[in-house]
Amino acid sequence: MGLDRRAFLGRSAAAGAGVALAGGAVGGEAVAAPSAGAAGHVGRPGRERRYAFTVMGTTDLHGNVFNWDYFTDREFDDKAHNDVGLAKISTLVKRVRRERGRRNTLLIDAGDTIQGTQLSYYYAKVDPITARRGPVHPMAQAMNAIGYDAAALGNHEFNYGIPVLRRFEEQCDFPLLGANALDARTLRPAFAPYSMHRLRTPFGRDVRVAVLGLTNPGIAIWDKANVSGKMVFPGLEEQAAKWVPRLRSMGADVVIVSAHSGSSGTSSYGDQLPYVENAAALVARQVPGIDAILVGHAHTEIPEYRVANERTGREVVLSEPLKWGQRLTLFDVELVWSRGRWTVERVGAEVLNSNTVEEDPAITRLLGDEHRKVVAYVNQVIGTSTAAMSTADAPWKDEPIIDLINHVQTETVKAALAGGEFASLPVLSQASCFSRTAAIPAGQVTIKDAAGLYPFENTLEARVLTGAQLREYLEFSARYYVRTPAGGPVDTAKLTNADGIPDYNYDAVSGLTYEVDIARPAGERIAKLAFEGKPVDPAARFVLAVNNYRASGGGAFPHVASAKQVWSNSEEIRNTIIQWVRAKGTVDPAVFASVGWRLTRDGVPVF
């Protein structure tokens, strides 16, 4: 169990404590002058000397500063009434600092900062921070103002290319950490592996807190185009085993890991890399000397998770705050002075909900102009639609709005291959339901409507697969459905996401017709697979229009990552859709919508 917060604060009598960041330099340190606070412990005569401090943590902010949904152009809300954004986090941080004492706290992040909203997209692509005299990224401005001490790199940091990431790094007043992001030529760290912080106590030695940053090995696959030949990303366990003993030998009393890696021990890229994607718990289990791990990447909420180290038996406390600034993790760390050194006695973790506070007006004022620019941008009208379309039923029905994505991708690839060696091959396309709330209204269509179909910065490729490979691809995709016997009712709330498979890892493939029999076990579900009304020849060749995430192995779909690439481009699919709507002027589902696949049970349609 975590520490009792009231007891923690009660034990934290008024004492001065200083915190200073190492400015991103490996091994560098600076110490702030002590000041009165509310959290540092004071030892009493004849009693043990104790000290406590708090590490606050966020992760997967994904470009959220305001409690605003740029795809719907209104305040963010969901079924649980969560709120999002750094403006809310700032209010929570200020409250914790008042309670603990500003200099008895650290604030860190576990990555995926500069991608995910139209706000972050705008300052990477429309008004890029890399331009001469370009703007300061809103996420850098907000995090600097709030006073972050360090942040680990996330995989989405690399989506816009290394120049954008490096410029963002320059604009941050805190270091971006990645001990397992190495220069491909020298195999030396391409970013600061760690930062060292000193907390000044009123007696004994200052407490030295090391923050080790670890990122995701999947970057080598998912952003291959941006990092190949430039950086490599070895496993988290390997690099933690290298760095944690070094940090201890350098005098670290406390070692905190900020890891952009979930805790489940699973991977979505199969056997393409010899590393685990979600390795945070493995790091805790295998590497001695770690006190706590701030977990990221998985977009799940874990208030407190304790893992016993295999070698020492000591518990390591893990916590993952919910994405987009919905939660703030607090690690409360208690130390005791014994035998001439500080020793961690207890660590507890909890999460605070950002929907319990108002946005910090200092942050909303700071970035009000940037927000208004982006709102104006996403509300630009680019065309009209003859009918309303929605993704509400797209996870279980072949809906026109997903057909639109596939239609645009198919047309784009056909045009690119025209007149070439592969022009005679049929072009198919894959698409996923990225958001169950995306919609195209009847009437005017804006940038935000079209962009809402594709919230990720994926680009388009064309790969050649055989009919047999496509069947295996579709069987793999159909694992997404929970096996549901024939005869009984079907509850759509319990039908999808079997074994935790996210919506974005279920692909609908256009250009073929097929049934998915959910009464059958996974691996035996695809029936009546046909092309132009005839059963698909296992030896026939097809071109699959596919996003770069899937083509690079994301989701571990079979065959596609090793299939022959016949075309690719660097234009984001989202922009391709926007440009297509601009060029056509009118979106008419009658032109592209069809029912190519359906769910069945023992051959009987479910819907």
Side-chain angles (χ1 to χ4, degrees):
M1 295 179 61
L3 300 179
D4 180 86
R5 191 165 174 232
R6 182 174 296 175
F8 177 89
L9 290 173
R11 286 191 296 270
S12 300
V19 175
L21 174 63
V26 178
E29 282 189 85
V31 184
S35 66
H41 289 193
V42 174
R44 295 180 181 177
R47 295 192 178 187
E48 287 183 316
R49 298 173 176 180
R50 297 182 179 276
Y51 176 72
F53 69 96
T54 298
V55 178
M56 298 174 282
T58 55
T59 191
D60 296 278
L61 293 168
H62 283 289
N64 285 280
V65 172
F66 299 89
N67 188 42
W68 194 260
D69 185 343
Y70 292 97
F71 294 126
T72 61
D73 198 24
R74 60 176 180 263
E75 185 174 320
F76 177 88
D77 196 21
D78 61 13
K79 291 180 180 178
H81 301 298
N82 288 303
D83 288 345
V84 301
L86 278 169
K88 292 266 184 174
I89 291 296
S90 181
T91 301
L92 288 175
V93 167
K94 286 182 175 179
R95 189 178 80 189
V96 173
R97 285 171 174 163
R98 284 195 303 270
E99 293 173 349
R100 266 65 164 178
R102 172 66 178 88
R103 297 181 181 275
N104 299 309
T105 64
L106 294 171
L107 175 59
I108 64 176
D109 183 81
D112 275 6
T113 303
I114 60 172
Q115 176 278 336
T117 65
Q118 286 292 284
L119 180 72
S120 54
Y121 175 82
Y122 187 90
Y123 288 96
K125 293 288 190 177
V126 181
D127 186 11
I129 61 174
T130 49
R132 187 182 180 194
R133 298 180 181 175
V136 176
H137 199 289
M139 294 301 288
Q141 291 191 58
M143 294 175 82
N144 289 343
I146 295 169
Y148 273 77
D149 294 294
L153 293 164
N155 53 284
H156 284 289
E157 258 66 85
F158 294 84
N159 286 173
Y160 295 118
I162 292 174
V164 170
L165 175 54
R166 287 300 191 191
R167 184 66 184 124
F168 175 71
E169 181 186 28
E170 292 172 1
Q171 294 177 341
C172 291
D173 294 340
F174 51 90
L176 300 183
L177 308 177
N180 61 326
L182 309 181
D183 181 275
R185 184 177 59 85
T186 65
L187 298 183
R188 298 184 66 181
F191 295 84
Y194 68 91
S195 57
M196 189 74 79
H197 311 262
R198 291 178 64 181
L199 309 184
R200 179 160 291 175
T201 70
F203 46 78
R205 197 184 71 188
D206 297 340
V207 172
R208 295 188 179 187
V209 182
V211 178
L212 178 68
L214 297 170
T215 192
N216 207 288
I219 295 166
I221 290 176
W222 305 321
D223 268 300
K224 181 178 180 180
N226 290 327
V227 301
S228 182
K230 300 174 184 175
M231 294 184 192
V232 295
F233 302 87
L236 283 81
E237 309 97 297
E238 168 195 322
Q239 293 300 304
K242 172 183 176 179
W243 283 101
V244 171
R246 292 189 185 185
L247 296 174
R248 290 293 184 182
S249 69
M250 291 163 55
D253 301 297
V254 182
V255 174
I256 308 292
V257 173
S258 184
H260 193 75
S261 180
S263 61
S264 65
T266 61
S267 289
S268 67
Y269 42 70
D271 58 0
Q272 296 175 77
L273 286 175
Y275 311 121
V276 177
E277 175 183 350
N278 295 300
L282 295 176
V283 171
R285 192 170 293 118
Q286 296 176 11
V287 181
I290 298 169
D291 296 298
I293 300 180
L294 178 65
V295 178
H297 184 61
H299 288 203
T300 58
E301 181 177 347
I302 305 174
E304 183 183 78
Y305 174 37
R306 292 178 174 269
V307 175
N309 185 268
E310 294 173 340
R311 290 173 57 184
T312 66
R314 288 183 60 88
E315 284 190 332
V316 182
V317 178
L318 285 69
S319 180
E320 180 176 6
L322 201 57
K323 64 186 183 299
W324 306 345
Q326 295 179 31
R327 303 288 187 273
L328 176 70
T329 277
L330 303 185
F331 290 107
D332 289 328
V333 184
E334 290 194 4
L335 302 99
V336 61
W337 180 264
S338 177
R339 298 181 179 179
R341 59 171 297 179
W342 288 109
T343 301
V344 173
E345 189 173 53
R346 292 194 297 173
V347 180
E350 62 177 318
V351 294
L352 305 182
N353 194 328
S354 66
N355 72 6
T356 62
V357 297
E358 298 298 317
E359 291 184 316
D360 183 350
I363 302 300
T364 57
R365 284 195 303 268
L366 177 69
L367 293 165
D369 287 345
E370 287 83 348
H371 174 67
R372 286 185 285 272
K373 284 181 183 179
V374 176
V375 168
Y377 165 74
V378 300
N379 280 288
Q380 292 179 35
V381 175
I382 55 174
T384 60
S385 177
T386 62
M389 296 179 284
S390 167
T391 57
D393 294 333
W396 48 84
K397 290 182 182 178
D398 188 348
E399 289 287 281
I401 197 166
I402 304 299
D403 292 338
L404 172 59
I405 299 173
N406 276 325
H407 181 69
V408 172
Q409 293 182 164
T410 299
E411 281 200 349
T412 302
V413 170
K414 282 183 176 179
L417 298 180
E421 177 185 356
F422 300 94
S424 62
L425 294 182
V427 177
L428 314 177
S429 178
Q430 64 79 223
S432 303
C433 177
F434 293 118
S435 167
R436 298 192 183 193
T437 60
I440 299 290
Q444 290 186 336
V445 178
T446 64
I447 285 178
K448 74 172 185 290
D449 299 324
L453 298 182
Y454 229 104
F456 298 106
E457 275 67 49
N458 294 342
T459 58
L460 190 60
E461 298 188 15
R463 302 275 178 132
V464 176
L465 279 78
T466 67
Q469 290 173 330
L470 283 164
R471 177 179 287 277
E472 291 183 30
Y473 186 101
L474 290 170
E475 288 284 11
F476 186 86
S477 183
R479 301 174 310 129
Y480 170 75
Y481 294 106
V482 175
R483 190 176 183 181
T484 309
V490 174
D491 182 356
T492 56
K494 300 177 181 178
L495 178 62
T496 62
N497 308 103
D499 298 320
I501 297 170
D503 291 347
Y504 61 76
N505 275 340
Y506 172 68
D507 286 359
V509 174
S510 70
L512 301 172
T513 57
Y514 57 96
E515 295 179 356
V516 181
D517 193 330
I518 59 174
R520 303 284 298 167
E524 303 175 15
R525 291 178 170 175
I526 302 302
K528 299 182 181 179
L529 179 62
F531 174 69
E532 294 184 344
K534 298 179 181 179
V536 168
D537 180 352
R541 295 198 305 163
F542 299 85
V543 172
L544 181 66
V546 59
N547 68 53
N548 69 300
Y549 172 78
R550 187 72 75 240
S552 298
F557 277 60
H559 305 302
V560 66
S562 59
K564 181 177 179 61
Q565 182 193 81
V566 296
W567 177 82
S568 68
N569 77 351
S570 59
E571 185 65 63
E572 292 159 6
I573 294 170
R574 172 169 53 204
N575 282 343
T576 301
I577 296 170
I578 291 169
Q579 290 163 8
W580 186 90
V581 175
R582 282 190 194 274
K584 297 294 183 182
T586 300
V587 178
D588 184 358
V591 173
F592 53 80
S594 64
V595 180
W597 64 274
R598 56 168 48 91
L599 299 186
T600 62
R601 289 186 295 180
D602 294 344
V604 178
V606 176
F607 303 106

